[in-house]
Every structure is written in structure tokens, then in C-alpha cells.
Amino acid sequence: MKYKEPAPIVDKLNPLESMMERFHEASRILGLDESTYEALKSPEKSVMVSLPVTMDDGNTKVFEGFRVVHSSKLGPSKGGIRYAPSVHLDEVKALAAWMTWKCAVVGIPYGGAKGGINCDPRSMSQGELERLTRTFTTAMRDVFGPERDIPAPDMGTNPQTMAWIMDEYSKLAGVASPAVVTGKPLVLGGSLGRVEATGRGVMVSTRSAMAKLKMNPGNSTCAVQGFGNVGSISAKLLEMQGLSITAISDVSGAYYNKNGINIDEAIEYVAQNKSLEGFKGGDIITNDELLELDVDVLVPAALEDQITVKNADKIKAKLIVEGANGPTASNADKILNEKGILVVPDILANAGGVSVSYFEWVQNRLGYFWTEERVNRRADRIMKQAFDNVYAASKKYKVSMRTAAYIVAIDKVASTSKLRGIF
Ligand code: GLU
């Protein structure tokens, strides 16, 4: 194959480089032709906007907003919008490509996209966040659309943010357009089960992997990094499966209890206090120590690049299930593989969220709403099937679950592109 290998990661980690290394590796194993490789390498569209917002003190502040559509080969592009101070274009590009691979792995008819605004939502008022979100929606009016590009929540955004996008877009379109966005509040056409969907998918993936490794949930311990929507619900559902959750963490630090943390108490604590700061249900440890704990299962459900060449060697878990997007830098993959750790990769493990987003979009277009039981049953089926497909590919190609997931995804997008004849 002639295409050039991406430059190796030297010191500063960049999620786009991690994504590209895996894409390259899987393309090579798959024997992807050069023109398809080149076509899938770069996003179809990268839009950057500046967003002037009147702040509560009367001053105007200008924010930077992004939407990257990586691919629309399998259908309208799909992916969340992230509000965080660290948002930058390369990160959004990586996250957009991951959405393409994620939707392809679970077999839903979407391409991949991601958006982000460089802001600190924790320090902004509701009014400021609303004005920012409406300005962003107006700026992206030609990008978003129920048949074109459909946002959803991600880090720093929530159902309220989606309600503002839905309202602003509907005003511009002159017609109520609930299907332009998913993860909406229930009363606005959201789906039952959507809030829990990513955590539920993490739980289903963990159970599938534990069965392959012949691990018994009742005798297993687990550490969960991150206690936002994904981390807290994953922890709760894994606890309900019988695992003992011995450590949890958030921005305030990590909390360890060898007898298991009471997850309901932790969730209640965060509801009252906004973070785990001051939580007494466990001893304080650092986030780095959490990753290296002697547990059976590790669920990184926070940020990118948490497991790297620096700490991969110290990880003791037998199984890692990636609730976050990109929590493992590509330079750590080899070390984890050599240690015999089974890694259920992000593009598979956290795909429960976008799967139920798809159900929400379907329900909006039908104008007919499903019971929670139906949503969960169908989402579980998608996740189990996707796990089995990736596991089978990992055996067929003799590669890690991560490389196998990329192979399954790239193969699907590449063969669809060929049929459509678009490069
Ligand atoms: N932000 C979520 C993710 O990274 C959900 C995306 C969606 O539902 O469109 O998968």
C-alpha cells in the first residue's frame, strides 16, 4: 500500500493522531485501496464560527464554535456538541471521525460529526448558555438539519441545551423540527431511555466481555473514572449486575472504598453538591491512582488520553471498557495488548448513546413513541450484536478488539462509498 504512515506521536498527545494511527493500522490490515483511504482520512466539512454573546455584565464575549462532518456516506451525520474550555479543532475532527466509525460498528444509518464550543459552561449563567447556544444554532443553520446533520449532548451539554437548539432551529425553519436534534427533554420529543443509554451500553459491553473472559460479576471489582452522565450510570448499572465498584472519581478527585462505594449515595451526593468534593463514602486517592488500582474491570468514562505510554504498564485490570471517547492514547495500545488486557474500545463500548439517539430520531419522524422497555430491549440487542461482530473480527484477523472494531467500521463505510460511487 502506498499511502504514507501518519507521523508517530512524540510527546504532546493529540486525539486526532491517535484516531489516525488506528485508522491507518486497520486500513492496512483490511487492504483498503489508496483512494478510499484518502477519501476517508479527512472530514467532508469543517466549519468554524465566531459567536458574539452578550454576557450578564453587559459586555460582549466572542466564543469559537466548531462543527465537523467527517462522513455522510451511511446517512445524515450524527454526533454530540461539547462545551469545554479545552475544545479545539483537532479534537473535534477526531471525535467526528469516531462518530463515523461508531455508527458503522453498531449498524445504524448515520455518518459521523461532532461540534464544540470553546467555553467554560460551569462559570456561565443559564441565560449566557442559552444565548450562546441560540447564536451557535443560527450560525450552523445550513449545517444542521433532520436529514442532514443531527446534534446531541456531549460533555458540558444536556437536554436543556438540545431544547434550545430545537427551538432556535424550528424558528428558523418555520416549522417544528424535533428530529433536528436528539437527547431532548421527554416533553419535547425525547426518548425514554436516552439519558441512561450510554451507561447501559457500557454495562452490556462489560457483561459480554466478562462472559468471554469467564469472569463472574459477583466476584469482580470495578473502578470507574468520571462521574458525569456516562460514569455515574455505568457505575450504577454495573453495581446492579453484582460488581463491587471500589473507586469512582470526578474533577474533585477519586474516592476508594475496598468494600465498594454505595453508588446511589454518590449520585445523591452529586445531585446536592454538584460534584463529589467532600464525599465521605471512600478515601481520597488521585485520578492516576484510580487507574492503577488492583481491580478486575476499569471503566474510563471521563476525558481523552487518560491511559498513555506513561501509565499503561501499571494498569492491573483484566478488562477495560471505554465509556469515554478516546480515553486511551494510541501509544498505549501495544502495552495493553502485550499485558493481555482485553479492551472494549470506545467506538463499540459507548455506542449505546447514539443507538438510542437513532431511536429518538425514528420516533420523532414517526410521531409515535415507544415504551422504555422497547427502547432498552432494542438497544441491548444492537450492543450485543455489535460486540459479537467485533469479537468475531478480532479472532478472524487475529487483532485486538480495537483494531477489529475499526476494521468492521471502515469496511462498512468503504463498501458503501464504493456502491454509491462517491469519493
Ligand atoms: N455524544 C455522544 C457520543 O459521543 C452521543 C452522540 C449522539 O447521540 O449523537 O456518542
Side-chain angles (χ1 to χ4, degrees):
M1 195 178 340
K2 281 180 268 141
Y3 43 82
K4 233 175 75 218
E5 235 178 84
I9 294 177
V10 188
D11 46 20
K12 202 169 173 326
L13 297 167
N14 176 328
L16 185 58
E17 287 170 8
S18 278
M19 193 287 294
M20 280 309 299
E21 283 203 13
R22 279 119 179 204
F23 170 64
H24 182 87
E25 164 81 355
S27 301
R28 189 181 56 74
I29 295 171
L30 200 55
L32 193 69
D33 63 89
E34 199 178 342
S35 49
T36 312
Y37 178 90
E38 290 299 327
L40 294 180
K41 198 171 88 173
S42 312
E44 285 174 13
K45 192 189 297 185
S46 302
V47 184
M48 276 176 73
V49 287
S50 54
L51 307 166
V53 174
T54 309
M55 305 305 277
D56 291 347
D57 64 6
N59 288 321
T60 300
K61 204 168 158 190
V62 182
F63 296 88
E64 219 175 16
F66 307 91
R67 184 75 179 169
V68 173
V69 174
H70 172 261
S71 170
S72 56
K73 298 286 186 282
L74 295 186
S77 51
K78 188 83 191 81
I81 295 177
R82 177 171 289 199
Y83 287 3
S86 55
V87 164
H88 59 92
L89 185 59
D90 271 4
E91 180 193 46
V92 183
K93 280 186 180 172
L95 290 161
W98 279 325
M99 287 309 303
T100 302
W101 313 135
K102 196 185 295 189
C103 293
V105 164
V106 289
I108 55 178
Y110 285 141
K114 200 81 174 197
I117 301 180
N118 195 305
C119 66
D120 179 10
R122 284 167 175 268
S123 69
M124 292 170 72
S125 70
Q126 282 295 97
E128 289 169 342
L129 287 168
E130 175 171 357
R131 292 192 289 282
L132 175 65
T133 304
R134 289 185 186 278
T135 307
F136 183 60
T137 308
T138 307
M140 294 294 173
R141 62 190 295 176
D142 295 330
V143 179
F144 296 163
E147 315 269 349
R148 234 184 347 242
D149 176 45
I150 306 139
D154 197 78
M155 212 180 281
T157 57
N158 55 33
Q160 173 64 77
T161 326
M162 302 305 115
W164 292 325
I165 296 177
M166 182 262 187
D167 184 67
E168 195 63 26
Y169 185 88
S170 297
K171 268 196 264 175
L172 294 166
V175 48
S177 305
V180 71
V181 67
T182 62
K184 295 179 292 295
L186 277 183
V187 285
L188 287 183
S191 175
L192 289 164
R194 175 62 187 88
V195 171
E196 300 80 11
T198 311
R200 192 174 170 89
V202 168
M203 180 272 285
V204 172
S205 304
T206 308
R207 285 301 309 259
S208 303
M210 289 180 88
K212 295 286 181 208
L213 296 175
K214 306 215 172 355
M215 289 164 74
N216 177 354
N219 299 334
S220 300
T221 53
C222 173
V224 180
Q225 186 199 36
F227 211 67
N229 170 272
V230 182
S232 63
I233 293 169
S234 302
K236 177 66 213 157
L237 296 177
L238 288 170
E239 183 190 53
M240 284 168 72
Q241 294 292 314
L243 284 93
S244 170
I245 314 298
T246 50
I248 56 174
S249 74
D250 71 0
V251 280
S252 72
Y255 304 81
Y256 172 73
N257 184 335
K258 68 173 179 358
N259 300 318
I261 285 178
N262 182 324
I263 301 300
D264 277 337
E265 258 173 44
I267 290 175
E268 182 54 31
Y269 189 88
V270 172
Q272 302 289 330
N273 301 283
K274 289 204 167 125
S275 87
L276 286 167
E277 177 128 48
F279 179 62
K280 295 281 178 285
D283 300 331
I284 297 181
I285 57 171
T286 65
N287 249 302
D288 288 344
E289 286 168 333
L290 176 142
L291 296 171
E292 296 164 17
L293 280 175
D294 190 4
V295 287
D296 299 300
V297 184
L298 176 63
V299 178
L303 285 167
E304 294 113 43
D305 296 332
Q306 299 300 298
I307 301 173
T308 69
V309 73
K310 295 207 176 90
N311 60 1
D313 200 33
K314 300 188 204 121
I315 287 181
K316 298 182 191 69
K318 301 182 198 59
L319 170 64
I320 298 177
V321 185
E322 297 184 336
N325 291 310
T328 307
S330 59
N331 63 14
D333 285 348
K334 196 162 161 258
I335 304 172
L336 299 178
N337 293 341
E338 279 169 5
K339 282 171 71 88
I341 299 173
L342 180 66
V343 180
V344 186
D346 46 6
I347 56 172
L348 169 62
N350 71 38
V354 75
S355 300
V356 176
S357 275
Y358 167 55
F359 297 160
E360 179 174 332
W361 181 77
V362 167
Q363 292 171 76
N364 291 154
R365 286 156 58 99
L366 280 177
Y368 172 72
F369 287 86
W370 304 355
T371 60
E372 186 163 4
E373 200 256 324
R374 172 181 277 195
V375 170
N376 287 345
R377 188 164 22 90
R378 293 186 175 189
D380 291 357
R381 200 191 302 148
I382 284 188
M383 292 305 293
K384 282 195 191 115
Q385 184 67 56
F387 183 94
D388 289 345
N389 291 347
V390 171
Y391 193 81
S394 80
K395 295 289 162 220
K396 176 173 168 198
Y397 291 95
K398 300 190 174 45
V399 293
S400 65
M401 287 278 284
R402 184 181 320 278
T403 303
Y406 276 77
I407 288 177
V408 169
I410 295 168
D411 194 22
K412 177 150 191 203
V413 180
S415 47
T416 309
S417 303
K418 283 217 181 83
L419 284 169
R420 288 182 59 166
I422 315 169
F423 283 105

